Amino acid sequence: MGRSPFTLAAAVTAALPGAEVTGARTLTADADGRFDSAVASLADGRELAIRIADDDETARELAAEAIALRALTAGARAMLPFKAPEYIGETRVGDGRALVTELLPGFQIEAANVPGGRGAAESMGAAIAAVHGLPTSVVRGAGLATRSADESREELARLVDTAAATGRVPARLTVRWRDAVADDDLWRFESTVILGGVQATSFLFDDDPDRGPEVTGLLDWHGLSVGDPALDLAWLSTAPDAAGDVHASYARSLDRVPDAALDQRARLLAELEFARWLVHGDAMRRPDIVDDAAALLAALAEGLHSDDLSVIATRSDGVDSAMDALDRVPEAAAATIDTSMQTDAYNPDELWIDVPDELDEESPGASGPDDSPTPDAVTHDVTADVDAARRAGMLNVETEDLSGVSGLFSGTGGPAGVRDSQPRAAEPHPEDDDAVDSADEAQRAARAALQRWKSSSSE
């Protein structure tokens, strides 16, 4: 490592025969120093980025990046609202693998500094959604990895077991992670095209005078695959100010309703990055890495306010994610719509029928001291009263047809991504606050499910 920019720039001619290099400088965004990197200026005005890997891990990353960039055909790139680097060529410099790509202009923002609101956060959410909206044939055609929801789940189960076997994971975390892996509701998602673990510094921005920073380019394509979309949102644990707006913009930009457990899986994946670091250190027999990972895991376990990663778990302030273990949990994205079951289909006051007092004694079929009404007589009386009320205008209202959503509450016919059954909650005791809160939460979840169904049906 430590090659000069001029040495690296000279290698461009091997990857791009006929290129005339006129200058070279250091590439500042050099993947945390894991590569030797430089920028080469060409006589035709183009600028190219060259990176060289000297170990097997970084060499595999460059090889995967080359395959991914070549898989992004002109048609796929046209679907993206930003630029991805163009693949130029590959070569070798000494024993190292070298990849040459187009240099994209723009500035980067560290995760902790991404502001909320309009601008950067909303643009990042829309950019991630655009990648997730690419057809899976882009990935499958290039022979890149594809993982179903079950395969993603099994991979994480193995990671949790391997990390726990080191004896350095706090028991509270092991239980938390295993419960999350075992929760079927967390794994009801559709695999999409993903970047495989995008970071805040993967985005390149240009400052728009009206809208603020906007994403103009995206780096780090080596993880391009089909898999869990939550992988590309796990970095938000380190962006407390922007997390809610990124999530909201992502949801608005998708052409489908995001799965209900996306946020919970993203938090889980962020926490498991520490487990990966621990497993890596243990496999490399590096006590320093193992001790570092163990200290981070201990801080995470100490800061957690809840062991629950279930879909309807209430978000609370405090330390509740791995990547933000020493700060605070980002608030959940605020809902952009009212998901309560409000309707203008009826006025409750108009449905009240005042039955005349004399009906009890004078109407046919009314029960007296020594007789009881027949079913036919009762049916006749009620029907007559309702008809009379309708003629009087008391029930002259339109109702909304909800037959299409009956499956949400009956346990059959529900849309994909919604639980097949909604168990009826027991009636809580008025003095049991916990039971009341639980019932309220279940009602809110049901209302949100209905709203999501209605939103998806209208699209």
Side-chain angles (χ1 to χ4, degrees):
M1 305 291 280
R3 301 177 181 89
S4 72
F6 292 100
T7 300
L8 300 178
V12 170
T13 57
L16 183 63
E20 182 180 351
V21 179
T22 60
R25 69 178 189 275
T26 300
L27 176 62
T28 54
D30 61 353
D32 299 325
R34 294 184 298 118
F35 304 99
D36 275 347
S37 55
V39 177
S41 301
L42 304 187
D44 60 8
R46 287 185 296 168
E47 288 192 319
L48 305 179
I50 179 170
R51 288 176 290 163
I52 298 178
D54 282 328
D55 58 63
D56 292 341
E57 181 180 354
T58 52
R60 285 192 296 269
E61 183 174 317
L62 287 185
E65 179 99 356
I67 295 173
L69 293 180
R70 296 169 71 178
L72 293 176
T73 62
R77 291 172 182 268
M79 298 177 66
L80 300 174
F82 52 81
K83 295 193 67 176
E86 291 282 355
Y87 170 87
I88 302 300
E90 298 172 81
T91 187
R92 300 196 70 84
V93 176
D95 295 331
R97 183 189 191 107
L99 173 64
V100 181
T101 63
E102 172 191 15
L103 179 71
L104 297 181
F107 61 90
Q108 297 165 298
I109 306 176
E110 293 289 339
N113 298 325
V114 178
R118 295 181 56 192
E122 293 187 351
S123 185
M124 294 167 97
I128 297 172
V131 175
H132 292 182
L134 289 173
T136 57
S137 58
V138 171
V139 170
R140 299 182 193 277
L144 295 170
T146 62
R147 293 182 182 84
S148 66
D150 287 341
E151 290 170 336
S152 299
R153 183 182 192 176
E154 292 168 1
E155 180 182 342
L156 292 184
R158 290 192 296 269
L159 173 61
V160 172
D161 289 343
T162 303
T166 66
R168 302 298 299 272
V169 180
R172 182 180 183 184
L173 292 181
T174 300
V175 172
R176 171 184 173 88
W177 295 341
R178 284 177 172 161
D179 285 348
V181 171
D183 186 353
D184 291 339
D185 288 341
L186 260 66
W187 308 99
R188 304 182 193 277
F189 68 86
E190 177 185 355
S191 294
T192 65
V193 174
I194 59 174
L195 288 160
V198 67
Q199 299 296 322
T201 52
S202 301
F203 299 90
L204 295 174
F205 296 91
D206 186 28
D207 203 359
D208 185 277
D210 297 323
R211 296 182 294 271
E214 289 199 330
V215 175
T216 57
L218 191 54
L219 308 175
D220 300 333
W221 290 82
H222 56 274
L224 185 67
S225 58
V226 172
D228 186 353
L231 276 167
D232 289 341
L233 295 166
W235 66 274
L236 289 172
S237 291
T238 57
D241 296 332
D245 292 308
V246 174
H247 273 291
S249 176
Y250 172 84
R252 289 194 304 269
S253 302
L254 281 179
D255 58 0
R256 62 185 181 281
V257 177
D259 64 274
L262 183 69
D263 188 25
Q264 282 78 9
R265 287 200 317 280
R267 293 167 60 203
L268 173 65
L269 290 166
E271 295 176 9
L272 288 175
E273 282 303 303
F274 286 168
R276 292 186 191 279
W277 184 232
L278 174 65
V279 169
H280 170 74
D282 186 64
M284 297 294 293
R285 301 184 184 279
R286 290 279 304 274
D288 56 329
I289 295 178
V290 171
D291 290 342
D292 179 52
L296 292 171
L297 289 168
L300 170 62
E302 180 68 21
L304 288 176
H305 284 192
S306 170
D307 290 330
D308 195 356
L309 271 172
S310 63
V311 175
I312 62 171
T314 301
R315 296 291 298 274
S316 59
D317 292 333
V319 182
D320 205 8
S321 68
M323 307 308 290
D324 195 25
L326 299 179
D327 198 343
R328 64 180 178 86
V329 178
E331 293 293 334
T336 58
I337 56 176
D338 183 359
T339 59
S340 61
M341 291 182 63
Q342 297 177 0
T343 175
D344 59 358
Y346 67 88
N347 181 339
D349 294 335
E350 294 176 348
L351 295 183
W352 183 261
I353 301 176
D354 290 326
V355 180
D357 295 337
E358 59 270 26
L359 179 64
D360 291 338
E361 298 178 359
E362 299 179 5
S363 62
S367 59
D370 300 321
D371 60 349
S372 60
T374 65
D376 290 341
V378 173
T379 301
H380 171 77
D381 290 342
V382 173
T383 302
D385 290 334
V386 172
D387 288 342
R390 182 179 291 109
R391 285 193 299 271
M394 296 171 64
L395 295 179
N396 188 21
V397 293
E398 297 180 357
T399 58
E400 182 179 358
D401 182 8
L402 294 179
S403 60
V405 297
S406 60
L408 288 174
F409 306 100
S410 64
T412 60
V418 178
R419 294 187 63 178
D420 292 338
S421 63
Q422 295 289 344
R424 184 181 300 274
E427 184 70 15
H429 191 280
E431 297 180 356
D432 189 345
D433 293 337
D434 292 338
V436 172
D437 291 342
S438 177
D440 290 343
E441 185 64 42
Q443 292 174 9
R444 286 194 293 273
R447 292 167 183 164
L450 175 61
Q451 183 64 45
R452 287 196 300 274
W453 182 89
K454 295 177 70 176
S455 298
S456 63
S457 298
S458 64
E459 292 178 353

